[in-house]
Amino acid sequence: MRFFSDNAAPVCQPVLDAIAAANTIDTAYDGDQWSAQLDERFSSLFGTRVRVLWVPTGTAANALALAALCPPYGGVICHREAHIQNDEAGAPEFFTHGAKLMLAEGAGAKLTPEAVEGVIAGIRKDVHQVQPHAVSITNATEYGCVYTPDEVAALGKLTQKHDLGLHMDGARFANAVAHLGCEPAELTWRAGVDVLSFGFVKNGGMSAEALVFFRCELADASLYRRKRAGHLLSKGRYLAAQILAMLEDDLWLANAAAANAGAKLLADAAGERLVYPVEANEVFLKLSADEAQGLRDLGFDFYDWGVGEARLVTSWDQTEEQIRPLAEAIAAL
């Protein structure tokens, strides 16, 4: 009955089992046998050589990624509704030691090459204005919309033209890949992405996210930034073990597909009430205050999202039987 956030979902059993299996003596920090496997496992997943760091939060992943791409005196172009702008309490600015977020518009919280070019065009090439050094996109976006490989590639081509880094906030990367049915490589390095924040916590993990560097040299300084920021856990094997468990047999993809299917069930019931296309596991609905209260009176919990709108988020663990009562209640409004 709770549709507030996939952050509230339980941890999936294989992750708990992996944590228990890692509960033995091993080298501290990231010198353990589990952490040592990450580069190879992710390189296999993406079909290219990568460097990978575990971190405990998505905010840390995003902020460390941007610190690798942007100097303190530079700027990061992102959407006005991006998580790094609205929901990370200034962490990107803090980790970069002062880099400026440069805001652009776009339907469904998606950036387009035209929107990015518009920001760049408004900046004089002189010392009096902050110069952009990176672009950050979110896939799936804050409104549950998914960038296709071609859309990412168009942005990748633009960032290469202007010598900018390209970061992807992939807190719901798994949901995007599950929706598209594409290879992870098509949505990332082949499309020009330099660094990916690969989310696991929203998708059945407990306390581990992966920072994936497709430009491997960027990882070197990030090791020091992670330590300096207080995110080098002394028992890092428990984070690495979680991530490896999610990669095993594509559990990350199966969990995301289950969450997406739950959202589609709600979307099919919502019809013309949908505010955005449902492409991941978030559903935005037009609801009056009375209608929203009526659903809450039936026991359903969710967030209001602006005037006359609500956000519903489905999770990896919610079955069709658990979601269908809400779908039926929405259809009956």
Side-chain angles (χ1 to χ4, degrees):
M1 307 291 272
R2 292 176 61 84
F3 295 87
F4 279 120
S5 173
D6 38 11
N7 286 318
V11 178
C12 62
Q13 191 60 47
V15 169
L16 293 174
D17 293 343
I19 293 171
N23 194 31
T24 183
I25 191 167
D26 206 307
T27 306
Y29 304 107
D30 58 359
D32 59 275
Q33 60 182 294
W34 292 271
S35 297
Q37 297 179 49
L38 293 179
D39 288 358
E40 181 179 351
R41 292 291 295 278
F42 278 92
S43 294
S44 177
L45 176 65
F46 285 99
T48 191
R49 181 173 174 266
V50 301
R51 294 275 301 280
V52 179
L53 306 183
W54 47 252
V55 290
T57 69
T59 295
N62 286 339
L64 286 167
L66 295 177
L69 293 173
C70 186
Y73 53 84
V76 177
I77 299 171
C78 67
H79 197 280
R80 185 175 299 278
E81 299 296 331
H83 200 273
I84 60 172
Q85 162 66 12
N86 293 331
D87 294 284
E88 293 184 341
E93 295 91 333
F94 180 74
F95 276 62
T96 59
H97 299 283
K100 180 182 179 65
L101 297 184
M102 300 170 159
L103 308 183
E105 307 289 346
K110 292 169 71 174
L111 291 182
T112 62
E114 294 75 18
V116 175
E117 283 279 20
V119 173
I120 295 171
I123 300 170
R124 298 190 313 273
K125 290 286 187 179
D126 68 45
V127 74
H128 298 286
Q129 294 199 314
V130 174
Q131 302 299 309
H133 283 255
V135 173
S136 179
I137 60 175
T138 311
N139 205 13
T141 73
E142 294 303 295
Y143 292 134
C145 298
V146 168
Y147 287 90
T148 66
D150 286 346
E151 289 172 327
V152 179
L155 288 164
K157 183 177 180 180
L158 178 64
T159 56
Q160 290 167 9
K161 170 187 170 184
H162 290 285
D163 195 25
L164 306 175
L166 181 56
H167 164 248
M168 180 177 286
D169 175 354
R172 294 187 175 93
F173 179 73
N175 302 94
V177 175
H179 170 73
L180 294 166
C182 66
E183 292 296 321
E186 296 179 63
L187 209 52
T188 53
W189 66 271
R190 286 183 186 154
V193 173
D194 296 303
V195 188
L196 168 69
S197 304
F198 195 148
F200 290 96
V201 172
K202 296 180 187 296
N203 196 32
M206 185 173 76
S207 58
E209 311 276 58
L211 187 52
V212 182
F213 293 95
F214 300 106
R215 286 171 51 193
C216 294
E217 72 277 6
L218 294 175
D220 293 335
S222 298
L223 289 166
Y224 292 91
R225 290 191 185 99
R226 180 178 64 172
K227 170 61 177 178
R228 190 167 185 260
H231 288 291
L232 179 60
L233 277 66
S234 61
K235 296 181 180 179
R237 61 188 179 275
Y238 295 103
L239 277 71
Q242 292 178 53
I243 295 170
L244 292 173
M246 293 290 289
L247 295 182
E248 190 71 26
D249 296 324
D250 284 338
L251 178 61
W252 65 280
L253 204 52
N255 282 1
N260 287 3
K264 186 179 185 304
L265 187 63
L266 296 179
D268 290 344
E272 294 183 357
R273 290 182 179 273
L274 291 178
V275 181
Y276 302 102
V278 176
E279 298 174 339
N281 65 322
E282 295 180 283
V283 181
F284 293 84
L285 298 179
K286 299 174 185 175
L287 288 180
S288 70
D290 288 344
E291 289 171 333
Q293 187 57 53
L295 292 177
R296 290 188 172 104
D297 288 344
L298 293 173
F300 302 109
D301 291 330
F302 50 88
Y303 283 120
D304 293 323
W305 210 264
V307 178
E309 295 181 9
R311 186 191 78 164
L312 313 173
V313 184
T314 52
S315 302
W316 69 272
D317 64 312
Q318 291 176 312
T319 65
E320 180 177 339
E321 291 72 22
Q322 292 171 319
I323 296 171
R324 187 166 295 283
L326 176 54
E328 293 173 348
I330 292 170
L333 290 174

